[in-house]
Amino acid sequence: DGDPEFAALVEWVLQTLILAEKQNITMMTADTFAESVEFFGKDMFQNALAAVGNYGEIYTRHLAPISSRLEINEINDGETTGLMYSHPLGKVDTVGPGPINGGVIERILQRGFLRCGIPGSTQDATSEKRVELDMEFCRALSASVLQRTPDNVSFQRYSDDDDIYLALDNGNIDVYAGGAVDVGSDFLLPGLAFSNPYFHRRGKSFALVTQEADEQWADFVYWVTMATTFAEENGITQNTSNEMPLVNLFGTGLERLMRDAILAVGNYDEMYKRVFGQNATRVGLNKLNASPFGPQHYPLPF
């Protein structure tokens, strides 16, 4: 907490260990791994691997003697099984603090609508459809914060990454939908927080982006994004949204956040089919990773 640069370093070291296993690069061949020029010194990735090896080597060295490696802990090849998976919820009845003073949630409640940035011009029809999916997640956020009002959203298009950073930093937008999560993206500079990726295409993963400094809002966005996958996993639809659990982690006034999100937009599969067509087939990483679970470790594209 409070050190976004170190948080970014930790994230990329973990990504390095997973990608190295996928590429069959080991402790002994660490010098063949890609250099890191843009982040924390060009040898950062290689030094990490030379010290401990890839993820598989670490697992074999420390965990294999006491616990066999389950398939969910294997490396996803990007084709066989999906990545859409909700993490265990934990104790959602624990009452957390309400909206913090001056925080994004409080500002949205006072303003009465959500400001959501989305990509500007797109290259093809599929990309434009994905922007429609971005907008669906903004509506889910609006419904969750503003109690079942999904259309209280002001959409603003951005084409330049620098403009997006400034808009998030100065509060012109509360969230940016459609941030590309890969090592080549300028989005992965310290100071930004990402939801679970909700769409994968052409080696890129797309997520909601917020300012890391407002941890409460970043967590809230993460929960709303995850709610759509949780609902699909548990067979909960827009018509049965009251089956979603109440969540008190953001105070009792926002306990319906998951219910209101699903009431507004439905589960992930409902959203996907509404955007891409009722007969659209989800392929690759966009498929649900449900029991029996397939590999869930997937390195962000380098």
Side-chain angles (χ1 to χ4, degrees), residues 72-84:
I72 196 171
N73 291 320
E74 297 286 349
I75 306 298
N76 192 305
D77 63 9
E79 299 177 2
T80 307
T81 60
L83 276 186
M84 304 307 294

Side-chain angles (χ1 to χ4, degrees), residues 52 55-67:
V52 298
Y55 178 80
E57 290 177 290
I58 295 172
Y59 196 102
T60 299
R61 192 161 59 246
H62 296 287
L63 293 177
I66 57 175
S67 177

Side-chain angles (χ1 to χ4, degrees), residues 11-74:
E11 172 66 24
W12 288 115
V13 168
L14 292 174
Q15 292 292 330
T16 296
L17 304 180
I18 296 172
L19 181 61
E21 181 180 4
K22 183 179 180 180
Q23 296 180 340
N24 294 316
I25 297 175
T26 67
M27 183 186 297
M28 299 301 296
T29 59
D31 60 349
T32 65
F33 196 81
E35 292 184 346
S36 171
V37 176
E38 299 182 25
F39 295 94
F40 304 96
K42 68 176 184 178
D43 297 327
M44 181 189 81
F45 297 151
Q46 297 174 359
N47 290 340
L49 286 172
V52 298
N54 64 39
Y55 178 80
E57 290 177 290
I58 295 172
Y59 196 102
T60 299
R61 192 161 59 246
H62 296 287
L63 293 177
I66 57 175
S67 177
S68 59
R69 189 173 174 183
L70 300 177
E71 190 170 8
I72 196 171
N73 291 320
E74 297 286 349

Side-chain angles (χ1 to χ4, degrees), residues 134 137 141 175-178 193-196 198 206-210 221 225:
D134 300 335
F137 277 99
L141 276 175
V175 60
Y176 181 78
F194 296 82
S195 70
N196 265 0
Y198 53 78
F206 298 90
L208 300 180
V209 188
T210 60
V221 170
T225 309

Side-chain angles (χ1 to χ4, degrees), residues 118 130-140 155 157 177:
I118 55 175
R130 200 217 72 235
V131 174
E132 292 182 27
L133 186 62
D134 300 335
M135 296 170 73
E136 288 279 291
F137 277 99
C138 292
R139 293 188 180 97
F155 292 104
R157 286 187 177 261

Side-chain angles (χ1 to χ4, degrees), residues 213-226:
D214 191 330
E215 296 174 2
Q216 185 184 59
W217 174 235
D219 289 345
F220 190 94
V221 170
Y222 184 94
W223 273 81
V224 171
T225 309
M226 187 179 65

